[in-house]
Amino acid sequence: MEDGVEEQTAKEYVGNEQRFSVRTDLALEARELVGDERSEISGVRYSVRREGDYEVTISVVEVLNEEGEKAMGKPKGRYVTLECPELKENILEAHQEVMEILTRELRRMIPLKDDTKTLVIGLGNRQVTADALGPLAVSGLLVTRHLYAVAPHELKDRIRPVSAIAPGVMGQTGVETGELVAGLTDKVKPDVVIAIDALASRRTSRVNTTIQIADTGINPGAGVGNFRQELSSKTLGVPVIAIGVPTVVDAATIVSDTIEYLQDTMKAQGGIQMHIFQNFSEQEKYQLIQEVLKPNIGDLYVTPKDMDAVAQRLGNVIAGALNMVLHHLEPEELKEYLY
Amino acid sequence: MEDGVEEQTAKEYVGNEQRFSVRTDLALEARELVGDERSEISGVRYSVRREGDYEVTISVVEVLNEEGEKAMGKPKGRYVTLECPELKENILEAHQEVMEILTRELRRMIPLKDDTKTLVIGLGNRQVTADALGPLAVSGLLVTRHLYAVAPHELKDRIRPVSAIAPGVMGQTGVETGELVAGLTDKVKPDVVIAIDALASRRTSRVNTTIQIADTGINPGAGVGNFRQELSSKTLGVPVIAIGVPTVVDAATIVSDTIEYLQDTMKAQGGIQMHIFQNFSEQEKYQLIQEVLKPNIGDLYVTPKDMDAVAQRLGNVIAGALNMVLHHLEPEELKEYLY
Amino acid sequence: MEDGVEEQTAKEYVGNEQRFSVRTDLALEARELVGDERSEISGVRYSVRREGDYEVTISVVEVLNEEGEKAMGKPKGRYVTLECPELKENILEAHQEVMEILTRELRRMIPLKDDTKTLVIGLGNRQVTADALGPLAVSGLLVTRHLYAVAPHELKDRIRPVSAIAPGVMGQTGVETGELVAGLTDKVKPDVVIAIDALASRRTSRVNTTIQIADTGINPGAGVGNFRQELSSKTLGVPVIAIGVPTVVDAATIVSDTIEYLQDTMKAQGGIQMHIFQNFSEQEKYQLIQEVLKPNIGDLYVTPKDMDAVAQRLGNVIAGALNMVLHHLEPEELKEYLY
Amino acid sequence: MEDGVEEQTAKEYVGNEQRFSVRTDLALEARELVGDERSEISGVRYSVRREGDYEVTISVVEVLNEEGEKAMGKPKGRYVTLECPELKENILEAHQEVMEILTRELRRMIPLKDDTKTLVIGLGNRQVTADALGPLAVSGLLVTRHLYAVAPHELKDRIRPVSAIAPGVMGQTGVETGELVAGLTDKVKPDVVIAIDALASRRTSRVNTTIQIADTGINPGAGVGNFRQELSSKTLGVPVIAIGVPTVVDAATIVSDTIEYLQDTMKAQGGIQMHIFQNFSEQEKYQLIQEVLKPNIGDLYVTPKDMDAVAQRLGNVIAGALNMVLHHLEPEELKEYLY
């Protein structure tokens, strides 16, 4: 049978890639690549629910042990993902709803006492549209560290000392962001570090619609910029919370998704049968395309045309949630301190 | 025969698209879609040659009459394209060589007398990495209109009155760029308008490696931003020269290119036969993918990761060539006036 | 008597400056220079009152006829000035109060029907801290012209077609802002133009604490940037409303103010008598200093150290008021449309 | 005698300011305040010469010991000042000349071996026109640290490892720049730190015409921004070279200068005698004005109207000199690596 032949050859083409690498910044997607929603993965706990008027999907992936780490290609820890298609639209109520859920989930994840010192790092390059999320979020934060010492008692009870930097704007400086953050952590001595970054997804439908928070810190990823360093309790000596939104997909993802659509559409139209990827797992398919694309096309990324407006709004959602988590101020009061 | 069935159905799927639309900003690519390099197209003249150390490819497409316009989907006029893969790299000599050829080709195309007044328009949005080419080029121009009246004779003989704006930075203003340029042309009364814009290509290999100049002005295109208006002698009343560089490709192009690579690679590996697009013309294939992609993925674009640095350099090349064309100053003198 | 001699000589030094020129962008200050608060000036009507928790001072100067124009050096029209020292501080309630009064006063001044088309011009250079007010205000406006045609009925009843540009960011373009605005007005055909600009004051106490609105348009002034053109019903053919905030004072003002302080302080300390400016009017004194300063020190301006933060907040106050005036939307709705 | 009375009272007004503080960032001006050019100051060595077509004035002030430190209010070390009025104009030859002298003087001052690691800090806020010098200079540097390890031998012989940051762009972060620089120095471990900053002068004629370099590092000064921390070998553990250009003067300076001009002018005109500051030293006069100004007018600064263009050019001069000092590359080669 012809199909059989094809399948075999293509698989051979993919080759004996022993070290299987899941290429996504989202734990949720890493899990999807390993098995479908109902299948049990040893060392990984998974739950999902929907909430609110905009039916925000909240998925929790917990990588419990080394076995789970191996299966997922992600370090041990808790990954919470909020998904809401309206997040990429200009719909204030949806943003409000996501912001509230995000606030609650961050409160659960960040270990906070009354005087906890936080250092927020906005990773990424403000000048590159798809990479500006971190700096944009940081610019909306209520930064208080420099005021904390001189604040009156009644205010001190309601704010925590927060500092925040967006080091990536320093661009081609010959200084690694990781070094800078490590050096700064040594001096500022925060109790917890929060790092915000733009991520890469493997599904175009997740671009600008998904927020992932994780208690594992930032690990070398497939993101927009060139950030390939680890920011974690291991490298910084304090807990590191990561907040990320996928703003790009890579070229291979687009190709893979489209071929799938083509297949489905044509099947529905009757007659046509796509033979290319039959009997391939999603992961094998992706790898094949990736290998073909890389030498010919190079480092490209795919991003929405209205990315600049969307990034601004996503930055506001994250800054808003962090302001609520890190301080005890009413939204109106926050506004007064912010502008 | 199975293949026959497939082919038929897929063609039916593409449907009876009567108004055939070639989707590319480059005349060179429009020509490639109509027929291969050796085929004669009625109403279109085409020539190609290579030049210089970096073997810059210079293609000239002339659309001669209505027949040519219909075949190409591009207005009557002369389109000159310079291609040089090193243009996207940081190789000063290659930029220098392209700049010199560009200078010569622009001199041929722009009708210039000693006192010709030029208005240069840098289209695009400086805040969006892939759309910043126009504003970046404009910021490197030697603008002289405001000095011309008061310049001493010996300088006046060597400069022409040039004004230049980058109107796109005005963003969401409710004012169409076309209106603004038309209003400005009414007041400034230039003899020639030069419009610089970022384009879309259908080949990833052309992104950031290709400069197209045309005496047709800017026509509603497939570019990065939302610029869909015509800037031409018809709308502005004076000759309009367009200068463009493709900085993005659209998602459909990437998919199409990759499937082609996949096909070729697998064929070379033996065994596998890709049945999807067999017997389809390139154009039919593109259209099919486009139709499938659009509703599912929306307005995305694909751009290189180092687009911000490359755009700066490409802007310098174009500004450099225009400064040489529009004034009679040595490079060292230019520098003095520019900074 | 020594004093007499001094006085005479100094007055002679000022010389026979026949064409008396009042050097301030504020009508209120022009009036102060002509005579004190209680004195009647022929052709000029003046009133002042205080309002609200923050005791906002609202002055109305009306230049009624040619006689008034001559006395004031300002064209015929109505000038309303709001003064509130807290405007330069980060006090949300004060901004809110000023914004509400500004909304009311603008409603009185701008001739608005349900479908009035407005074009808002943000003059000034965003890159220069003290000159960024216009662009900053424009970036906070709800721009609707491009949506108006396609808006549903229920929304159309509540918004007016507004377009807005910040042309000054185009920098050294060889194109006069006046030409650009005139060209644009020809094309957009607004019913009213609103121009926002940073002004110069003669009193340091008015910097960032004062908003002037006028139905006379913009007249060549002493402002921050190089804007020296007229934007008025005479040049644009439609009513032009000007909104301005003094963000700088010139060097002569600072010198004059300080010498006055010195005089007063020393007098209070007893003993010392300052003989320099005795028997000089404020205007003569200013002119004298101006003439001395100019050739030696050149074009300088004086601006507060925290100008960048203050400009952002002032831009928000003006944008907020204009959004309330030009549309019938609740603040919460506005927010939704804006971000 | 009346004058006597005045003098006495005014002096009393100045009061018993015991801790005499010279308020200028320039050692040259500190020296001028202590005594005139010909007078010997114990513990301070001073020399001055002119050089080149543009007659650049090169002053060297050496503070030799504690006695000198006390007299000058500046730490022990070597301060070299280049003055050239054409530096503030757009005159390429003048900039070239100053750049060459600056290159030579920096070579004398910076302790360099073949593999010396340099960390350059661009202090100041890029968003504030008068404070952008540091970030602008840094953006013109050839940064090589990230390339050094992988560079081929023939290149390695000609470049040194340089890293560079402009931390001030991080704005209101709650993180002191001093902490950030200290943390970074700990990680990057440079052999020498070079800090570039905008300064305040006491003479308007020195604004944008003067470059000071010093081997003492940065000391809490009277500069534009809020930088009040020490960056020196004491705080960072390695030699710190400071490069600064005065871009502002403070209000008190302008007042003082003008009154002086007034006095001189009037005296020349005959008749008038200014009694205010008679028998006061320049320093007493400045202090008096300062005390009067402060509570009434607050934190203001005075800066030229064309500061943004000038800052860009000054940044280029400094970056150009540093590139020549830190690497062994020809100007043309530098260009290739820079863009």
Coordinates of all heavy atoms in Angstrom, one line a residue, chain B residues 81-132:
Chain B
T81 N 14.1 46.2 -9.7 CA 14.3 45.5 -8.5 C 15.8 45.1 -8.3 O 16.4 44.5 -9.2 CB 13.5 44.2 -8.5 OG1 12.2 44.5 -8.8 CG2 13.5 43.5 -7.1
L82 N 16.4 45.5 -7.2 CA 17.7 45.1 -6.8 C 17.7 44.0 -5.8 O 17.0 44.2 -4.8 CB 18.5 46.3 -6.2 CG 18.5 47.6 -7.0 CD1 19.4 48.6 -6.3 CD2 18.8 47.5 -8.4
E83 N 18.3 42.9 -6.0 CA 18.4 41.8 -5.0 C 19.8 41.5 -4.6 O 20.7 41.4 -5.5 CB 17.7 40.5 -5.6 CG 16.2 40.6 -5.7 CD 15.7 39.4 -6.5 OE1 15.4 38.4 -5.8 OE2 15.5 39.4 -7.7
C84 N 20.0 41.4 -3.3 CA 21.3 41.1 -2.8 C 21.2 40.4 -1.4 O 20.8 41.1 -0.5 CB 22.1 42.4 -2.7 SG 23.7 42.2 -1.9
P85 N 21.4 39.1 -1.3 CA 21.2 38.4 -0.1 C 21.9 39.1 1.1 O 21.5 39.1 2.2 CB 21.7 37.0 -0.3 CG 21.6 36.8 -1.8 CD 21.8 38.2 -2.4
E86 N 23.1 39.7 0.8 CA 23.9 40.3 1.9 C 23.3 41.6 2.4 O 23.8 42.1 3.4 CB 25.3 40.6 1.4 CG 26.2 39.3 1.2 CD 25.9 38.6 -0.1 OE1 25.1 39.2 -1.0 OE2 26.5 37.5 -0.4
L87 N 22.3 42.1 1.8 CA 21.6 43.3 2.2 C 21.0 43.1 3.6 O 21.0 44.0 4.4 CB 20.5 43.7 1.2 CG 20.1 45.1 1.2 CD1 21.2 46.1 1.1 CD2 19.0 45.3 0.1
K88 N 20.6 41.9 3.9 CA 20.0 41.7 5.3 C 21.1 41.4 6.3 O 20.8 41.4 7.5 CB 19.0 40.5 5.2 CG 19.6 39.1 5.0 CD 18.5 38.1 5.2 CE 19.1 36.7 5.2 NZ 19.7 36.3 3.9
E89 N 22.3 41.2 5.9 CA 23.4 41.0 6.9 C 24.1 42.4 7.2 O 23.9 43.4 6.5 CB 24.5 40.1 6.3 CG 24.0 38.8 5.6 CD 23.3 37.9 6.6 OE1 23.6 38.0 7.8 OE2 22.5 37.0 6.2
N90 N 24.9 42.4 8.2 CA 25.7 43.6 8.6 C 27.0 43.6 7.8 O 28.1 43.5 8.4 CB 25.9 43.6 10.1 CG 26.4 44.9 10.6 OD1 26.6 45.8 9.8 ND2 26.7 45.0 11.8
I91 N 26.9 43.8 6.5 CA 28.1 43.8 5.6 C 28.2 45.1 4.9 O 27.5 45.4 3.9 CB 28.1 42.6 4.6 CG1 28.0 41.3 5.4 CG2 29.3 42.7 3.7 CD1 27.8 40.1 4.5
L92 N 29.0 46.0 5.4 CA 29.0 47.4 4.9 C 29.3 47.5 3.4 O 28.7 48.3 2.7 CB 30.1 48.2 5.7 CG 30.0 49.7 5.6 CD1 28.7 50.2 6.2 CD2 31.2 50.4 6.3
E93 N 30.2 46.7 2.9 CA 30.6 46.7 1.5 C 29.4 46.4 0.6 O 29.2 47.0 -0.4 CB 31.7 45.8 1.2 CG 33.1 46.2 1.7 CD 33.2 45.6 3.2 OE1 32.3 45.0 3.7 OE2 34.3 45.9 3.8
A94 N 28.6 45.4 1.0 CA 27.4 45.1 0.3 C 26.4 46.2 0.2 O 25.9 46.6 -0.8 CB 26.8 43.8 0.8
H95 N 26.2 46.8 1.4 CA 25.3 48.0 1.5 C 25.8 49.1 0.6 O 25.0 49.8 -0.1 CB 25.2 48.5 2.9 CG 24.6 47.5 3.8 ND1 24.3 47.7 5.1 CD2 24.2 46.2 3.6 CE1 23.8 46.6 5.7 NE2 23.7 45.7 4.8
Q96 N 27.1 49.3 0.6 CA 27.7 50.4 -0.2 C 27.4 50.1 -1.7 O 27.0 51.0 -2.4 CB 29.2 50.4 0.1 CG 29.9 51.7 -0.3 CD 29.4 52.9 0.3 OE1 29.1 52.9 1.5 NE2 29.2 54.0 -0.4
E97 N 27.6 48.9 -2.1 CA 27.5 48.5 -3.5 C 26.0 48.7 -3.9 O 25.7 49.3 -5.0 CB 27.9 47.1 -3.7 CG 28.0 46.7 -5.2 CD 28.7 45.4 -5.4 OE1 29.9 45.3 -5.0 OE2 28.1 44.4 -5.8
V98 N 25.1 48.2 -3.1 CA 23.7 48.3 -3.4 C 23.3 49.8 -3.4 O 22.6 50.3 -4.3 CB 22.8 47.6 -2.4 CG1 21.3 47.9 -2.6 CG2 23.0 46.1 -2.5
M99 N 23.8 50.6 -2.5 CA 23.5 52.0 -2.4 C 23.9 52.7 -3.7 O 23.2 53.6 -4.3 CB 24.2 52.7 -1.3 CG 23.7 54.1 -0.9 SD 24.8 55.0 0.2 CE 24.6 54.0 1.7
E100 N 25.1 52.3 -4.3 CA 25.6 53.0 -5.5 C 24.7 52.6 -6.7 O 24.3 53.5 -7.5 CB 27.0 52.6 -5.8 CG 28.0 53.5 -4.9 CD 29.4 52.8 -4.7 OE1 29.7 52.0 -5.5 OE2 30.0 53.2 -3.7
I101 N 24.3 51.3 -6.8 CA 23.5 50.9 -7.9 C 22.1 51.6 -7.8 O 21.5 52.1 -8.7 CB 23.3 49.4 -7.9 CG1 24.7 48.8 -8.1 CG2 22.3 49.0 -9.0 CD1 24.7 47.2 -8.1
L102 N 21.6 51.6 -6.5 CA 20.3 52.3 -6.3 C 20.4 53.8 -6.7 O 19.4 54.3 -7.3 CB 19.9 52.2 -4.8 CG 18.6 52.7 -4.3 CD1 17.4 52.1 -5.1 CD2 18.4 52.6 -2.8
T103 N 21.5 54.4 -6.3 CA 21.6 55.8 -6.7 C 21.5 56.0 -8.2 O 20.8 56.9 -8.7 CB 23.0 56.3 -6.3 OG1 23.1 56.2 -4.8 CG2 23.2 57.8 -6.6
R104 N 22.2 55.2 -9.0 CA 22.2 55.2 -10.4 C 20.8 55.0 -11.0 O 20.3 55.7 -11.8 CB 23.2 54.2 -11.0 CG 23.4 54.3 -12.5 CD 24.1 53.1 -13.0 NE 23.3 51.9 -12.8 CZ 23.8 50.7 -12.6 NH1 25.1 50.5 -12.6 NH2 23.0 49.7 -12.4
E105 N 20.1 54.0 -10.5 CA 18.8 53.6 -11.0 C 17.8 54.7 -10.6 O 16.8 55.0 -11.4 CB 18.4 52.2 -10.4 CG 19.2 51.1 -10.9 CD 19.2 50.9 -12.4 OE1 18.2 51.1 -13.0 OE2 20.3 50.5 -13.0
L106 N 17.9 55.3 -9.4 CA 17.0 56.4 -9.1 C 17.2 57.6 -10.0 O 16.3 58.2 -10.4 CB 17.2 56.8 -7.6 CG 16.5 55.8 -6.6 CD1 17.0 56.1 -5.2 CD2 15.0 55.9 -6.6
R107 N 18.5 57.9 -10.3 CA 18.7 59.0 -11.2 C 18.1 58.8 -12.5 O 17.6 59.7 -13.1 CB 20.3 59.1 -11.4 CG 20.9 59.9 -10.2 CD 22.3 60.4 -10.6 NE 22.9 61.0 -9.4 CZ 24.1 60.7 -8.8 NH1 24.8 59.7 -9.3 NH2 24.5 61.4 -7.8
R108 N 18.1 57.6 -13.0 CA 17.4 57.3 -14.3 C 15.9 57.5 -14.2 O 15.2 57.8 -15.1 CB 17.7 55.8 -14.7 CG 19.0 55.6 -15.3 CD 19.1 54.2 -15.8 NE 20.6 53.9 -16.0 CZ 21.1 52.7 -16.1 NH1 20.3 51.6 -16.1 NH2 22.4 52.6 -16.3
M109 N 15.4 57.2 -13.0 CA 13.9 57.1 -12.9 C 13.3 58.5 -12.5 O 12.2 58.8 -12.9 CB 13.5 56.1 -11.9 CG 12.0 55.8 -11.9 SD 11.7 54.4 -10.8 CE 12.0 53.0 -11.9
I110 N 14.0 59.2 -11.7 CA 13.4 60.5 -11.2 C 13.7 61.6 -12.1 O 14.8 61.9 -12.4 CB 13.9 60.8 -9.7 CG1 13.8 59.7 -8.8 CG2 13.3 62.1 -9.2 CD1 14.4 59.9 -7.4
P111 N 12.6 62.3 -12.6 CA 12.9 63.5 -13.5 C 13.3 64.7 -12.7 O 12.6 65.3 -12.0 CB 11.5 63.7 -14.1 CG 10.5 63.1 -13.1 CD 11.2 62.1 -12.3
L112 N 14.6 65.0 -12.8 CA 15.2 66.1 -12.0 C 15.8 67.2 -12.8 O 16.7 67.0 -13.7 CB 16.3 65.5 -11.1 CG 15.9 64.6 -9.9 CD1 17.2 64.0 -9.2 CD2 15.1 65.5 -8.9
K113 N 15.4 68.4 -12.5 CA 16.1 69.6 -13.0 C 16.9 70.2 -11.8 O 16.8 69.7 -10.7 CB 15.2 70.6 -13.5 CG 14.5 70.2 -14.9 CD 13.6 71.2 -15.4 CE 12.6 70.6 -16.4 NZ 11.4 71.4 -16.6
D114 N 17.6 71.3 -12.1 CA 18.4 71.9 -11.0 C 17.6 72.3 -9.8 O 18.1 72.3 -8.6 CB 19.3 73.1 -11.5 CG 20.5 72.6 -12.1 OD1 20.8 71.3 -12.1 OD2 21.3 73.4 -12.6
D115 N 16.4 72.8 -10.0 CA 15.6 73.3 -8.9 C 14.4 72.5 -8.6 O 13.4 73.0 -8.0 CB 15.2 74.8 -9.3 CG 14.4 74.9 -10.6 OD1 14.4 73.8 -11.3 OD2 13.9 75.9 -10.8
T116 N 14.4 71.3 -9.1 CA 13.2 70.4 -8.8 C 13.0 70.3 -7.3 O 13.9 70.1 -6.5 CB 13.5 69.0 -9.3 OG1 13.6 69.0 -10.8 CG2 12.4 68.0 -9.0
K117 N 11.7 70.5 -6.9 CA 11.3 70.4 -5.5 C 10.8 69.0 -5.2 O 9.9 68.5 -5.9 CB 10.2 71.4 -5.2 CG 10.6 72.8 -4.9 CD 9.6 73.5 -4.1 CE 8.4 74.0 -4.9 NZ 7.5 74.9 -4.2
T118 N 11.3 68.3 -4.3 CA 11.0 66.9 -3.9 C 10.3 66.9 -2.6 O 10.7 67.5 -1.6 CB 12.2 66.0 -3.9 OG1 12.9 66.2 -5.1 CG2 11.8 64.6 -3.8
L119 N 9.2 66.1 -2.5 CA 8.6 65.8 -1.2 C 8.7 64.3 -1.0 O 8.2 63.5 -1.8 CB 7.1 66.2 -1.2 CG 6.3 65.8 0.0 CD1 6.8 66.4 1.3 CD2 4.8 66.2 -0.2
V120 N 9.4 63.9 0.1 CA 9.6 62.5 0.4 C 8.7 62.1 1.5 O 8.6 62.7 2.5 CB 11.1 62.2 0.8 CG1 11.3 60.7 1.0 CG2 12.1 62.7 -0.3
I121 N 8.0 61.0 1.3 CA 7.0 60.5 2.3 C 7.5 59.2 2.8 O 7.6 58.2 2.1 CB 5.6 60.2 1.6 CG1 5.2 61.4 0.7 CG2 4.6 59.9 2.6 CD1 4.8 62.6 1.5
G122 N 7.7 59.1 4.1 CA 8.1 57.8 4.7 C 6.9 57.2 5.3 O 6.5 57.5 6.4
L123 N 6.3 56.3 4.6 CA 5.1 55.6 5.0 C 5.4 54.6 6.1 O 6.5 54.1 6.2 CB 4.4 54.9 3.8 CG 3.9 55.9 2.8 CD1 3.5 55.1 1.5 CD2 2.7 56.7 3.2
G124 N 4.4 54.2 6.9 CA 4.6 53.2 7.9 C 4.6 53.7 9.3 O 4.7 54.9 9.5
N125 N 4.6 52.8 10.2 CA 4.6 53.1 11.6 C 5.9 52.8 12.3 O 6.3 51.6 12.4 CB 3.4 52.3 12.3 CG 3.3 52.6 13.7 OD1 4.1 53.3 14.4 ND2 2.2 52.0 14.3
R126 N 6.6 53.8 12.8 CA 7.9 53.6 13.4 C 7.8 52.7 14.6 O 8.8 52.0 14.9 CB 8.4 55.0 13.8 CG 9.8 54.9 14.3 CD 10.4 56.3 14.5 NE 11.8 56.4 14.0 CZ 12.3 57.4 13.5 NH1 11.6 58.5 13.3 NH2 13.5 57.4 13.1
Q127 N 6.7 52.6 15.3 CA 6.6 51.8 16.5 C 6.5 50.3 16.2 O 6.6 49.5 17.1 CB 5.4 52.2 17.3 CG 5.4 53.7 17.7 CD 6.6 54.1 18.4 OE1 7.1 53.5 19.3 NE2 7.2 55.2 17.9
V128 N 6.1 50.0 14.9 CA 6.0 48.5 14.6 C 7.2 48.1 13.8 O 7.5 48.6 12.7 CB 4.7 48.3 13.8 CG1 4.6 46.9 13.3 CG2 3.5 48.7 14.6
T129 N 8.0 47.2 14.4 CA 9.3 46.9 13.9 C 9.3 46.7 12.4 O 10.2 47.2 11.7 CB 9.8 45.6 14.6 OG1 9.4 45.6 15.9 CG2 11.3 45.6 14.6
A130 N 8.4 45.9 11.9 CA 8.5 45.5 10.4 C 7.9 46.6 9.5 O 8.0 46.5 8.3 CB 7.7 44.2 10.2
D131 N 7.4 47.7 10.1 CA 6.8 48.7 9.3 C 7.5 50.1 9.4 O 7.0 51.1 9.0 CB 5.3 48.9 9.9 CG 4.4 49.6 8.8 OD1 4.8 49.5 7.6 OD2 3.4 50.2 9.2
A132 N 8.7 50.0 10.0 CA 9.4 51.3 10.3 C 10.3 51.8 9.2 O 11.0 52.8 9.4 CB 10.2 51.1 11.6

